[in-house]
Amino acid sequence: MEVKEYLQNAEDSMQLATEYLDDTLSHIRAGKASARLLDGIRVDYYGTQSPISNVANVSVPDARTIAITPWEKSMFKEIEKAIINSELGITPENNGEVIRLSIPPLTEERRRQLVKQSKSEAENAKVSVRNARREAIEGLKKEIKNGLSEDVEKDAENEVQKLHDKYMKKIDAVFADKEKEILTV
């Protein structure tokens, strides 16, 4: 039973690392408009820090524009201020009805920076997967002292290695997709 627990814990950790990478990369803009770009930006809504999507309708009318329609007129200034103060690097345009964000095309240098940032995030995910493998193997080695046979431990180690390899391939695939997306003009 202990062997299954170690394998399950390792797989859960590896799955979480992959999901976190997926989420992190979705917030790196690749020259295309996406409502997810605004996920990390919070606005003050009656004393509470709320995501923009909780106080306005966020839509993407075309590949280069994000349209934000606040539900209350008083939120226009708050949303604009939050976007300007964010790391997004885009100046909002307000016509009194809708706040528009025009996503500028990325320069070659900026694309390279984004690929480098994405690669760094992928590497962090790989480190997490390696740590999960190491913890599982260390735990299995300790179980030998508690009566687990060495053959069973070696088989379990091989299973952990297979999980490790599977998730490393997933991380490489996720990064390759993001890199392609960033470099596509």
Side-chain angles (χ1 to χ4, degrees):
M1 185 59 194
E2 301 93 19
V3 172
K4 285 183 181 173
E5 284 180 22
Y6 284 113
L7 290 173
Q8 189 60 50
N9 289 344
E11 183 162 22
D12 290 347
S13 297
M14 293 175 186
Q15 180 67 35
L16 281 172
T18 309
E19 288 171 4
Y20 179 78
L21 174 67
D22 220 15
D23 185 55
T24 304
L25 292 183
S26 71
H27 291 91
I28 296 176
R29 73 181 180 97
K32 288 191 290 246
S34 166
R36 294 198 71 183
L37 291 174
L38 303 175
D39 284 355
I41 302 174
R42 303 267 185 245
V43 294
D44 184 39
Y45 186 64
Y46 296 108
T48 306
Q49 292 296 311
S50 305
I52 290 178
S53 58
N54 286 7
V55 298
N57 184 28
V58 179
S59 61
V60 183
D62 61 61
R64 295 263 181 238
T65 311
I66 299 174
I68 305 166
T69 312
W71 296 326
E72 297 176 20
K73 294 283 185 198
S74 63
M75 292 309 296
F76 274 99
K77 280 193 171 40
E78 287 291 332
I79 293 172
E80 281 186 312
K81 188 169 72 174
I83 292 169
I84 290 169
N85 293 337
S86 74
E87 295 175 7
L88 203 55
I90 298 172
T91 305
E93 302 165 20
N94 176 358
N95 67 5
E97 302 277 317
V98 178
I99 298 172
R100 291 192 196 290
L101 302 177
S102 297
I103 309 297
L106 297 173
T107 63
E108 188 62 34
E109 182 183 338
R110 182 69 178 135
R111 287 180 196 280
R112 276 196 226 102
Q113 283 177 340
L114 292 175
V115 167
K116 193 183 265 185
Q117 181 183 350
S118 300
K119 188 171 186 70
S120 167
E121 293 295 342
E123 199 50 51
N124 289 343
K126 285 181 175 185
V127 168
S128 295
V129 169
R130 287 186 201 109
N131 286 341
R133 176 187 60 181
R134 181 179 43 75
E135 288 169 12
I137 289 173
E138 285 174 359
L140 288 165
K141 287 189 187 301
K142 285 180 186 168
E143 287 300 320
I144 291 177
K145 293 176 186 152
N146 296 340
L148 184 70
S149 79
E150 288 188 21
D151 290 343
V152 172
E153 189 269 340
K154 282 293 176 202
D155 290 345
E157 263 190 50
N158 289 336
E159 287 299 312
V160 171
Q161 185 61 43
K162 285 178 188 171
L163 283 174
H164 169 270
D165 296 344
K166 173 180 141 185
Y167 282 99
M168 286 297 193
K169 282 183 182 156
K170 274 188 181 180
I171 289 170
D172 287 337
V174 168
F175 169 68
D177 289 347
K178 188 63 178 184
E179 182 180 34
K180 183 179 173 191
E181 181 185 338
I182 291 170
L183 295 176
T184 303
V185 179

